[in-house]
Amino acid sequence: MKTLHRFSFLLLITVLLTSSSCIGKLFGGDDDDDGPESERVNDRLQGEWEVTSWRLNGQEVIPAGVSEFIMEFEKDEFDDGEVEWDIDFTDPSTQDQRIDLSYRISEDGEEITIDGDTYDVDFDGNDKFELDGDVQTNNGAQRWQMELERN
């Protein structure tokens, strides 16, 4: 009889835990859900942004090596999309770059992963934001810090 009571008690606990987990997911209580805030950040990113400062390992490259750097974000889903990088170099012997990349927003809108590299995102109002992250390049890992303004 004790075994039957234990089994019934364990079954009841399992059902309650499963039910509360499902109810939490239905009403937005899931900690892994980046939906609403990630979507708000994604909506803010949409459009064209000028990179006004780009530091690689602390060294500024605008305007010394790059004359213009534009990013254009286009939303696909609530937390992801495509971003086009348009980079013009000051050295005429260096070919300008047009790069199409994918991105995903996570951590409740505090991080963005662009083509596998993750940056912290920090908005300053609606028309400015900063990206800060470690990027894997052909020359090894580099710290990239960018300041962007809406174009």
Side-chain angles (χ1 to χ4, degrees):
M1 190 68 160
K2 272 185 170 178
T3 306
L4 182 60
H5 285 293
R6 278 190 198 151
F7 177 75
S8 297
F9 179 73
L10 289 174
L11 183 62
L12 177 64
I13 295 295
T14 303
V15 168
L16 288 174
L17 288 174
T18 303
S19 298
S20 65
S21 173
C22 291
I23 290 170
K25 287 181 182 178
L26 277 175
F27 294 102
D30 185 6
D31 289 340
D32 294 335
D33 182 17
D34 280 331
E37 191 56 36
S38 291
E39 185 163 21
R40 278 191 285 275
V41 168
N42 201 2
D43 289 340
R44 290 173 80 179
L45 283 175
Q46 298 314 291
E48 194 173 275
W49 296 83
E50 180 180 0
V51 179
T52 57
S53 175
W54 183 15
R55 292 180 301 284
L56 305 178
N57 294 328
Q59 298 294 312
E60 182 63 55
V61 297
I62 296 176
V66 173
S67 60
E68 185 176 58
F69 185 174
I70 303 292
M71 288 188 193
E72 185 171 359
F73 290 86
E74 186 175 322
K75 180 178 176 178
D76 286 338
E77 299 292 331
F78 76 94
D79 65 348
D80 66 14
E82 305 294 320
V83 59
E84 178 182 89
W85 288 14
D86 186 356
I87 306 170
D88 296 338
F89 296 96
T90 56
D91 182 354
S93 67
T94 303
Q95 184 176 356
D96 295 340
Q97 298 289 310
R98 309 294 176 270
I99 307 167
D100 292 317
L101 305 167
S102 60
Y103 71 88
R104 182 174 193 88
I105 299 166
S106 59
E107 299 301 320
D108 290 325
E110 293 181 10
E111 289 184 353
I112 183 170
T113 300
I114 301 175
D115 197 38
D117 295 307
T118 302
Y119 303 84
D120 293 331
V121 179
D122 185 21
F123 276 93
D124 182 11
N126 289 322
D127 297 326
K128 294 181 181 182
F129 76 97
E130 296 179 7
L131 296 175
D132 186 353
D134 293 317
V135 175
Q136 295 301 316
T137 69
N138 293 338
N139 300 323
Q142 295 182 343
R143 181 71 168 196
W144 285 21
Q145 298 165 299
M146 294 181 260
E147 297 174 11
L148 297 91
E149 291 184 12
R150 189 171 294 282
N151 230 3

